[in-house]
Amino acid sequence: MERRLHPALHRPVPYPADEAFENLRQKVHALLDSGDAGRWELLRAEWRYDVALLTNDFRLWIQHLDRGFDIAK
């Protein structure tokens, strides 16, 4: 069976960029430190940060599984 994807596509690529994670984290901490932030605004910011982390971890896990299938040949 031939490989359809370019070999460079099998390497994990950090996405979203570290800067995006850092911006989300800073926003959550700024809202925590601010006494003016509403609960829903804080909850939404925390949810966005958690979802970004989870989807990135899931993406890395899927790439790990894909590499395992290539080795099993």
Side-chain angles (χ1 to χ4, degrees):
M1 180 175 223
E2 72 180 80
R3 212 180 245 197
R4 295 180 185 187
L5 295 176
H6 189 273
L9 296 175
H10 290 283
R11 295 186 197 120
V13 177
Y15 178 83
D18 292 335
E19 184 178 338
F21 283 120
E22 185 61 24
N23 289 342
L24 289 170
R25 188 187 66 77
Q26 286 176 358
K27 182 172 183 173
V28 169
H29 284 286
L31 289 171
L32 283 171
D33 293 340
S34 171
D36 299 331
R39 290 181 183 170
W40 288 111
E41 185 180 8
L42 178 60
L43 181 63
R44 192 178 91 204
E46 288 179 337
W47 184 81
R48 288 180 67 202
Y49 181 64
D50 290 344
V51 167
L53 290 174
L54 287 172
T55 54
N56 188 53
D57 288 346
F58 182 73
R59 181 188 60 80
L60 292 173
W61 178 67
I62 291 296
Q63 285 182 348
H64 173 73
L65 289 178
D66 286 345
R67 280 193 308 272
F69 284 118
D70 287 342
I71 293 171
K73 291 180 184 179

